[in-house]
Amino acid sequence: MQNSLLEIRELTKKYSLSSGFFNPQERIIRAVDNIDLTIYKGETLGLVGESGCGKSTLARLITRLEKPSSGYLMFKGEDILSYNKEGLKLYRRRVQIIFQDTYSSLNPRKSAVSAIKEPLTIHGIGDKTSRTQTALEIMSKVGLKKEQAGRYPHEFSGGQRQRIGIARALVLNPELIIADEPVSSLDVSIQAQILNLLRDLKKDFNLTYLFVSHDLNVIRYISDRVAVMYLGKIVELALNHNIYSRPLHPYTRMLLSAVPVCDPRRKREIISVKGEAGTEHDGGCPFQNRCSYKAEICEKVEPSLKKYDEQSFCACHRAGSI
């Protein structure tokens, strides 16, 4: 029986946008729309979807960099939305984030060792000497040399800067790490190095990951389970091999159809892509305007995330029949 580390229930984040100059009209955008999700201790949960679907917003909500409009976030049975300033500070020792942009996430005026030990200083852990020693040890763990400790971000490559970001996330010995597109800005060969590093660190530090990416090949390599997100909603959730061998949702099939394959002899389902993801829908299934399998019920009733077998969930009226 798996132990749940983080439970997300009915989580919603709304943004208010105004459009028009002479007659401005307010529009509500649901970046995260009534999401239910559980992250189990020791797993890597991959979160995949197109740009703008709400993946990064969900990551920021979990780390409390943003406050949700409604819903519940339970970490090890505790409601983190009820935390005061001190409680939130302690929570952030247990949950860390690795950002996508390897340069803007680092202070250009701080050396590598200063950036890595800064969380220890903020949380008042150890003295100056022990903080520096801990930072140097973590640098070694992520594949950086002690001779590089005094260098500044502009003196490192993109892959090395991401290693600094990983070290900074690790230095507080967290339980959960949110990796928000951590390899999307890196060369393919460097991506492989960082992914292998993250897998090794997971074992060494007994970590749990929420790994956010738009790249299905990356998600396939690193994840135990995969959650597919579309317009702020989880539309499919399943074990890694189930997602890639028998996807249930038409959107998942569309994403997999767009992934390049190296072997030209390999047969795969080709699904035509209709238009782009919108920002809102009037009713029914949010994917209906792009779906090749749309039925009459799809225009009237919005599907909920239902269980289809022991480890697969899908929000589609026609799941299992297409």
Side-chain angles (χ1 to χ4, degrees):
M1 181 95 180
Q2 290 179 296
N3 294 323
S4 64
L5 185 66
L6 180 75
E7 294 186 22
I8 302 168
R9 296 291 177 263
E10 301 175 0
L11 194 67
T12 299
K13 179 62 179 179
K14 302 176 184 177
Y15 293 100
S16 177
L17 298 179
S18 296
S19 59
F21 184 77
F22 294 104
N23 186 26
Q25 296 182 349
E26 188 177 63
R27 190 158 57 101
I28 302 297
I29 301 297
R30 291 174 176 258
V32 173
D33 191 2
N34 202 37
I35 279 183
D36 290 339
L37 191 63
T38 300
I39 301 175
Y40 296 104
K41 185 172 178 61
E43 77 166 341
T44 298
L45 176 63
L47 183 63
V48 67
E50 294 170 298
S51 297
C53 72
K55 305 185 303 294
S56 294
T57 301
L58 179 58
R60 293 174 69 86
L61 292 174
I62 292 172
T63 51
R64 283 299 310 273
L65 293 174
E66 292 195 36
K67 189 174 181 180
S69 303
S70 62
Y72 304 91
L73 279 168
M74 306 293 290
F75 185 80
K76 300 180 77 171
E78 298 180 2
D79 181 9
I80 67 172
L81 299 181
S82 65
Y83 284 163
N84 56 21
K85 187 176 180 180
E86 189 60 31
L88 192 56
K89 186 176 180 180
L90 291 173
Y91 169 71
R92 285 177 175 153
R93 286 182 60 174
R94 300 188 287 175
V95 178
Q96 286 286 300
I97 186 169
I98 301 170
F99 293 99
Q100 174 181 358
D101 193 322
T102 62
Y103 194 82
S104 64
S105 63
L106 298 173
N107 188 335
R109 297 184 179 183
K110 284 187 178 291
S111 64
V113 71
S114 297
I116 294 169
K117 72 179 182 180
E118 185 179 22
L120 296 173
T121 304
I122 291 171
H123 289 272
I125 300 173
D127 55 23
K128 187 175 181 179
T129 303
S130 65
R131 291 167 191 161
T132 301
Q133 184 59 37
T134 301
L136 291 173
E137 290 173 1
I138 293 293
M139 282 187 68
S140 178
K141 288 280 188 183
V142 300
L144 294 170
K145 299 177 181 178
K146 292 183 179 180
E147 299 81 58
Q148 298 172 306
R151 296 182 185 176
Y152 291 85
H154 70 277
E155 299 179 273
F156 291 95
S157 67
Q160 289 173 328
R161 284 197 295 268
Q162 194 57 286
R163 289 175 189 268
I164 296 173
I166 294 169
R168 187 175 57 180
L170 281 175
V171 76
L172 290 173
N173 197 25
E175 296 178 63
L176 173 64
I177 288 184
I178 314 296
D180 186 10
E181 300 268 13
V183 298
S184 63
S185 61
L186 306 177
D187 293 339
V188 175
S189 60
I190 306 301
Q191 284 186 18
Q193 293 176 22
I194 296 299
L195 291 173
N196 287 330
L197 173 64
L198 290 171
R199 293 182 72 169
D200 292 340
L201 292 171
K202 179 184 176 182
K203 297 176 184 177
D204 295 342
F205 288 85
N206 193 26
L207 296 169
T208 303
Y209 289 139
L210 173 62
F211 196 98
V212 179
S213 179
H214 65 274
D215 189 328
L216 277 89
N217 283 328
V218 168
I219 290 291
R220 184 175 193 169
Y221 180 73
I222 201 166
S223 301
D224 300 309
R225 289 192 303 147
V226 181
V228 182
M229 196 168 181
Y230 183 77
L231 288 185
K233 294 179 177 291
I234 302 296
V235 296
E236 186 165 357
L237 175 65
L239 294 175
N240 185 314
H241 67 270
N242 287 350
I243 284 283
Y244 290 90
S245 63
R246 49 183 182 88
L248 295 173
H249 200 282
Y251 177 61
T252 310
R253 293 188 174 197
M254 187 190 81
L255 292 177
L256 291 171
S257 176
V259 176
V261 294
C262 297
D263 188 353
R265 296 168 298 178
R266 179 181 167 189
K267 293 183 179 181
R268 59 173 180 164
E269 183 182 19
I270 303 297
I271 298 177
S272 60
V273 180
K274 299 180 179 180
E276 297 182 0
T279 56
E280 57 188 14
H281 59 283
D282 297 326
C285 178
F287 189 63
Q288 60 177 289
N289 294 330
R290 305 176 71 189
C291 184
S292 303
Y293 308 99
K294 183 174 70 172
E296 186 177 349
I297 190 175
C298 302
E299 300 178 1
K300 301 175 182 178
V301 181
E302 182 174 345
S304 58
L305 197 65
K306 295 180 181 179
K307 191 172 185 178
Y308 280 82
D309 59 36
E310 188 176 349
Q311 295 287 350
S312 296
F313 299 81
C314 182
C316 177
H317 295 299
R318 302 200 62 195
S321 63
I322 56 176

